[in-house]
Amino acid sequence: MFTTRPELTGDFGMVASTHWLASATGMGVLERGGNAFDAAVAAGFVLQIAEPHLNGPGGEVPILLWSEADQKVSVVCGQGVAPAAATIERYTELGLDVVPGTGLLAATVPGAFGGWMLMLERWGTWSLADVLAPAIHYAEHGVPVLDRIAATIESVEGLFNDDWPTSAATWLPGGNVPAPGSKLANPVLAATYRRLVAEATAASSTREGQLNAARKAWYEGFVAEAVADFSAKTAWRDSSGEVHGGLLTGDDLAGWSATVEEPLTYDYHGHTVCKTGAWGQGPVFLQQLALLSGFDLDAMGYLSADYVHTVAEAAKLAFADREAWYGDTDVPMSDLLSEAYNAERRRLIGAGASLELRPGAPGGRAPRLPDFPKPGTASNAPGVSGARSPQGVGEPTVARNGAVKGDTCHVDVVDRFGNMVSATPSGGWLQSSPTIPELGFCLGTRAQMFWLQDGLPASLRPGTRPRTTLSPSFALREGRPWLAFGTPGGDQQDQWSLNFFLSVVHGKLNLQEAVDAPMFHSEHFPSSFFPRGSRPGVLHAENRVEAGVLAELRRRGHEVEEQGPWSLGRLSAVARDGDFLKAAANPRGAQGYAAGR
């Protein structure tokens, strides 16, 4: 099939990401003797500068990695937790029934820095100064302004000027929206990272000591102090339409640290797929595989009406379970992934499209769903500053007209030693919350994914992680590390990445062909983001899917919304395939690239 680019093949190292500057940075690290972990960290910090509308230092990062030394897959959780003061009662006292999608009330502990540092310390080899040098350079000297950066800033220009002046000072240089193709710098953020390096270097002469000192400066030192003061002493209009301060304190930051966890796994057609725990949505990928394992997708034919229908209906069932069962709590994953449970669930997939949200009862437990907003409310959220439509809310991924919008980043790396990384940094994007003027970045808004209802797995509870959508992926083939992959996309991440994986396994496509293949996803289930709307029965599909297939899907009851031919998905991937290393990256949006040799 036609591909926009070649599948890269070599034996030295590969980096694939959502921005060419990050991919080039990561490859530069590999060329200078760094390993995959060093490269991923350096690339991750560059993504904060190159794609500030998609992630930032105040956000979070989940990471899946294979260590050749450890001979295992590990999960690094760089997802921060809710503040100690963030109780359901506190929000209801403010007259809120959902956590706002922007502003200080939606902040969790910024976990990205801790996650990157933990991976660098445990598996990397480079110093803090070396991995931060490229990001400091770009923050100080500027990056080329993508069309989407300019469009994002333009969409919130009024908000910044009227309500968030600290953001206007950072992102409206000279009082104007930066033009596409111009240079955009963030000298305050450059100074923040320079100070981190200086304090860490002064504190210790060893690499490990410097990394510990940098973490201390971030979570207990000058960064934490600025975050806590800004949260306690300022108040800003958010997507509720009201003015609120924050709940995050210095104690919240000091009491949190990134962790290393075991992955959840599922075996499918000779492959072992690895995901984060159910504090993220990652296991929904595994549940879809468990459902699909009972169907003969090969016999249906790749991207046939039967194939697309079956995959979409399996997604509806798996995501219904996400809504009922996932959260930072004891989730019955062994039952959810059991063959007995999935055999029963498969019988719910019929010839027509389901319009119901149908969670299951794993182990006989009765499911309980949140009180969702009425279907269709995603476009009717209250505005910011009166009548304006909500800006900076959630992780918008695809507009009704098919135009791609930004939301998150992704980076994959494999080195010549056999180490592999898949990471999905996100949150703290420039439009999420007012910029902290002393630091040059804003806090994230991941707390909007909690429910303000008691007794749910994803209910707001102090010190717990929100049920995030961030979902890097890793797969073994016959027990050996094979594929690291992922995509931005909010609720779509574990649909687009599943489509990619199935394209390789059942479509027999190479990595670039699978990235380029026509994409589709369901909007049937409620959004994870403010204001939590849903569109039952709606199926988005790129119009490169055959017209006859789309017509048959409509006949089966799917409300098919055709999108532009290159509008869905922003996947990247790296692989180990025999003696070769391989990579591919997304052409959609004209910014993702893979590099390698």
Side-chain angles (χ1 to χ4, degrees):
M1 64 173 286
F2 167 78
T3 60
T4 56
R5 304 163 183 177
E7 178 189 61
L8 302 188
T9 304
D11 60 8
F12 179 81
M14 297 283 166
V15 184
S17 82
T18 47
H19 197 288
W20 68 87
L21 290 179
S23 297
T25 295
M27 196 62 205
V29 171
L30 296 182
E31 294 285 6
R32 288 179 286 158
N35 65 21
F37 313 113
D38 303 318
V41 174
F45 280 105
V46 166
L47 284 171
Q48 296 175 2
I49 317 301
E51 298 187 291
H53 57 313
L54 308 181
N55 78 138
E60 46 272 327
V61 61
I63 305 167
L64 273 78
L65 63 90
W66 170 272
S67 163
E68 191 67 10
D70 296 344
Q71 288 290 296
K72 63 179 293 188
V73 177
S74 296
V75 174
V76 174
C77 176
Q79 173 59 60
V81 298
T87 63
I88 292 175
E89 293 73 23
R90 181 74 180 101
Y91 286 85
T92 55
E93 286 170 2
L94 296 171
L96 299 170
D97 56 6
V98 293
V99 178
T102 63
L104 299 182
L105 281 179
T108 55
V109 173
F113 188 81
W116 289 126
M117 290 300 102
L118 177 56
M119 182 170 73
L120 182 63
E121 179 183 30
R122 185 167 298 190
W123 292 284
T125 64
W126 275 30
S127 69
L128 176 73
D130 286 339
V131 297
L132 281 180
I136 292 172
H137 168 85
Y138 286 120
E140 201 160 56
H141 298 283
V143 293
V145 175
L146 300 167
D147 290 348
R148 287 201 189 92
I149 294 178
T152 299
I153 296 175
E154 183 178 23
S155 74
V156 290
E157 180 183 13
L159 166 66
F160 285 3
N161 283 325
D162 295 347
D163 296 318
W164 295 1
T166 60
S167 295
T170 303
W171 303 109
L172 297 172
N176 300 310
V177 175
S182 64
K183 262 193 169 183
L184 181 62
N186 189 341
V188 178
L189 179 56
T192 296
Y193 281 144
R194 284 194 182 280
R195 182 175 173 182
L196 274 174
V197 171
E199 290 196 7
T201 304
S204 177
S205 61
T206 68
R207 191 182 81 93
E208 291 75 14
Q210 290 172 6
L211 294 176
N212 284 328
R215 265 197 300 262
K216 189 175 181 67
W218 190 275
Y219 291 103
E220 299 179 50
F222 78 96
V223 174
E225 290 169 4
V227 167
D229 283 351
F230 192 77
S231 183
K233 298 176 181 178
T234 69
W236 310 85
R237 195 175 305 278
D238 57 37
S239 58
S240 72
E242 302 298 325
V243 174
H244 296 116
L247 302 175
L248 200 60
T249 68
D251 287 343
D252 292 321
L253 272 74
W256 179 86
S257 60
T259 54
V260 177
E261 304 174 1
E262 295 296 315
L264 287 175
T265 64
Y266 186 80
D267 292 334
Y268 182 84
H269 287 253
H271 308 86
T272 301
V273 179
C274 308
K275 302 293 287 189
T276 71
W279 51 264
Q281 76 169 6
V284 80
F285 188 116
L286 308 182
Q287 284 199 250
Q288 290 173 94
L289 291 181
L291 289 163
L292 294 172
S293 67
F295 295 95
D296 191 345
L297 295 184
D298 292 327
M300 293 178 187
Y302 176 65
L303 288 184
S304 66
D306 281 343
Y307 178 102
V308 175
H309 169 77
T310 303
V311 172
E313 292 302 299
K316 292 177 184 179
L317 293 174
F319 277 85
D321 278 345
R322 181 194 75 170
E323 297 305 311
W325 298 108
Y326 288 20
D328 192 6
T329 186
D330 184 18
V331 179
M333 285 310 310
S334 59
D335 288 327
L336 288 168
L337 293 175
S338 70
E339 176 52 31
Y341 177 77
N342 283 282
E344 178 183 345
R345 297 282 279 165
R346 272 184 220 116
R347 291 197 287 270
L348 297 175
I349 299 178
S354 169
L355 300 181
E356 301 174 87
L357 191 68
R358 300 179 290 179
R365 304 168 183 85
R368 181 186 169 195
L369 290 170
D371 296 329
F372 297 114
K374 293 180 180 179
T377 57
S379 61
N380 301 321
V384 177
S385 288
R388 284 203 298 274
S389 61
Q391 300 291 354
V393 168
E395 289 187 334
T397 302
V398 59
R400 294 293 294 276
N401 64 3
V404 180
K405 295 184 178 181
D407 61 301
T408 296
C409 305
H410 187 79
V411 58
D412 302 299
V413 186
V414 59
D415 65 27
R416 65 188 186 277
F417 312 112
N419 304 303
M420 298 179 74
V421 177
S422 174
T424 309
S426 184
W429 42 80
L430 65 88
Q431 65 274 27
S432 66
S433 190
T435 299
I436 303 171
E438 299 92 339
L439 300 177
F441 66 83
C442 60
L443 294 172
T445 54
R446 200 59 60 175
Q448 68 185 285
M449 309 179 93
F450 286 114
W451 287 101
L452 298 183
Q453 299 168 39
D454 283 318
L456 301 170
S459 295
L460 175 64
R461 300 184 303 280
T464 60
R465 294 170 287 190
R467 201 276 300 142
T468 177
T469 54
L470 304 177
S471 193
S473 300
F474 199 95
L476 310 174
R477 185 164 60 188
E478 297 177 351
R480 295 296 301 157
W482 169 48
L483 184 64
F485 60 108
T487 178
D491 293 304
Q492 284 76 54
Q493 286 182 35
D494 283 300
Q495 297 186 77
W496 292 342
S497 57
L498 178 77
N499 290 346
F500 165 83
F501 179 78
L502 296 178
S503 294
V504 175
V505 173
H506 293 290
K508 308 303 181 185
L509 306 184
N510 70 32
L511 299 187
Q512 191 61 50
E513 289 172 335
V515 166
D516 286 351
M519 279 283 166
F520 61 91
H521 71 265
S522 172
E523 277 198 341
H524 176 80
F525 41 84
S527 169
S528 297
F529 298 93
F530 176 95
R532 314 304 289 267
S534 62
R535 304 181 68 210
V538 171
L539 181 68
H540 288 269
E542 289 184 347
N543 60 16
R544 293 185 295 134
V545 176
E546 291 182 7
V549 169
L550 297 179
E552 172 61 17
L553 291 168
R554 289 188 174 100
R555 190 194 69 78
R556 296 186 185 201
H558 296 277
E559 187 178 335
V560 178
E561 293 191 358
E562 294 184 44
Q563 307 297 339
W566 296 92
S567 60
L568 303 182
R570 291 177 61 214
L571 280 141
S572 64
V574 299
R576 292 171 61 180
D577 189 2
D579 294 332
F580 288 114
L581 308 178
K582 296 183 176 181
N586 173 54
R588 300 164 178 86
Q591 67 188 63
Y593 260 92
R597 69 174 178 86

